Amino acid sequence: MKTMNMISRRSFLKATAAAAVVSALGLTGCGSSGSSAAASSTASSAAGSAAAASEAGQTFKVGIVNYVDHASLNQIVASVESRLDEVGAEKGVTFDYADYYANAQADQSNLNQIGADLVADQVDVIVAVATPTAATMLAAVEDTDIPVVYSAVTDPVSAGFDGEEGITGTSDALNTEAIMNLITAINPDIDTIGLLYDLSQDASTQAIADAKAFCDSKGIKYIEKNGTTTAEVQMAAEALVAAGVKAVFTPTDNTVMTAELSIYETFTDAGVMHFTGADSFALNGAFVGYGVDYVQLGEATADMVVELLCGGKTPADLPYQTFDNGIVTINTESCEALGLDLDTVKEAFKPYCTEIVVVTTQENF
């Protein structure tokens, strides 16, 4: 995958002038083109929501806001962009996202500034990647006709998005029981499992609760360690190794994902298997990633954008989407470092997944 810019070029110029560090995005209506005058934006938005189709040659401004540089989230962004390019070519329209991409680098003040700039720039739709991004963008577009399409929101209901006007998207909800079954399949006698996550990550809350319930039902002890920064996650990983756990579970946690390249060797050197909630963890060194296909997630997100801009749909017409959790991704290098036979691991996992993919560690993708 391509390396994502931290902020867009246009916003960098704004940031330099205003001492801000993030880029800008904005909105007009579905039926209006990106070059419509500000004075007609409200009327255009109202008319656009009822439009049956886009006109050839139209240009739509698509704001894409990423929460942080993170393997899974970057995969989604690249997939959204690729799909929009594909559909744009088919329909003879242009989805201009290049001028409206921003990465908040996990900073709430950045998100707030991006949200303010979105409205001022009058983009046609905002794609918000990850729960904090979606929540901030939804607040930013209050009292406007700007639709928000989120991606990688693990629990849209708990986040308050389900049924909320003006927002829809795709969820990467994790089937925690399935991944816990993977742990016990290869470790049938395991008596203690480590739980590594960031307490502040909404995406981790339910999954960790489910993991604890699973352990309680099986009579397995668990040890929790937390971190809110890469350095803290490193210390937490070392603490789990010192505690003697042989397997660690991490859900779709953005903080731990960002730190994975810094901790995977700590685990493999100690013979600890790291089971995680996304394939991107495995691409960054974790033994196993399990969950949704983030490329597919991005494509589905882009298709919702197209429905809004070119199909005359509103967010209320498009319920949020979830995906089957059944893809196991095994890092073969970590598997070997752990002293495990790949074929034996595959056989143990087969009853608990729909597909097995093998990868090697990649620092950039």
Side-chain angles (χ1 to χ4, degrees), residues 103-146:
N103 187 324
Q105 296 302 335
D107 187 308
Q108 184 60 46
S109 64
N110 289 353
L111 283 174
N112 293 338
Q113 182 62 55
I114 291 167
D117 288 346
L118 295 175
V119 177
D121 286 346
Q122 298 183 336
V123 299
D124 294 294
V125 66
I126 302 167
V127 176
V129 184
T131 305
T133 310
T136 305
M137 296 307 107
L138 181 60
V141 302
E142 188 176 5
D143 299 325
T144 76
D145 293 318
I146 301 172

Side-chain angles (χ1 to χ4, degrees), residues 53-267:
S54 58
E55 297 179 7
Q58 272 189 291
T59 295
F60 298 102
K61 298 177 182 179
V62 179
I64 301 178
V65 189
N66 199 357
Y67 179 62
V68 68
D69 255 338
H70 170 310
S72 295
L73 306 189
N74 289 354
Q75 278 184 306
I76 292 168
V77 171
S79 182
V80 168
E81 293 176 351
S82 177
R83 179 62 176 157
L84 289 177
D85 287 344
E86 179 184 1
V87 176
E90 292 173 357
K91 293 183 174 293
V93 300
T94 298
F95 298 104
D96 179 10
Y97 54 77
D99 293 324
Y100 304 98
Y101 171 77
N103 187 324
Q105 296 302 335
D107 187 308
Q108 184 60 46
S109 64
N110 289 353
L111 283 174
N112 293 338
Q113 182 62 55
I114 291 167
D117 288 346
L118 295 175
V119 177
D121 286 346
Q122 298 183 336
V123 299
D124 294 294
V125 66
I126 302 167
V127 176
V129 184
T131 305
T133 310
T136 305
M137 296 307 107
L138 181 60
V141 302
E142 188 176 5
D143 299 325
T144 76
D145 293 318
I146 301 172
V148 175
V149 180
Y150 58 76
S151 193
V153 169
T154 302
D155 191 346
V157 176
S158 294
F161 303 149
D162 189 31
E164 183 77 22
E165 291 185 4
I167 188 169
T168 188
T170 58
S171 170
D172 62 346
L174 181 66
N175 183 339
T176 305
E177 182 177 359
I179 196 169
M180 299 303 285
N181 281 330
L182 296 179
I183 297 177
T184 56
I186 200 170
N187 299 278
D189 299 322
I190 195 166
D191 59 4
T192 307
I193 293 175
L195 305 177
L196 177 63
Y197 63 103
D198 180 351
L199 282 167
S200 69
Q201 288 285 313
D202 292 338
S204 295
T205 304
Q206 187 59 53
I208 291 297
D210 292 341
K212 291 177 181 178
F214 179 93
C215 289
D216 289 341
S217 71
K218 302 293 184 182
I220 299 172
K221 299 176 184 177
Y222 54 82
I223 298 174
E224 298 178 74
K225 295 297 177 182
N226 313 112
T228 59
T229 65
T230 294
E232 290 177 357
V233 171
Q234 286 175 309
M235 290 188 289
E238 291 166 1
L240 288 171
V241 169
V245 302
K246 291 303 178 186
V248 172
F249 166 64
T250 295
T252 50
D253 189 295
N254 293 329
T255 303
V256 180
M257 175 63 247
T258 303
E260 188 63 38
L261 282 168
S262 301
I263 64 173
Y264 80 93
E265 289 180 322
T266 298
F267 285 145

Side-chain angles (χ1 to χ4, degrees), residues 317-332:
D317 299 323
L318 304 172
Y320 78 85
Q321 298 182 41
T322 58
F323 299 82
D324 292 335
N325 291 287
I327 301 175
V328 170
T329 303
I330 302 171
N331 184 303
T332 56

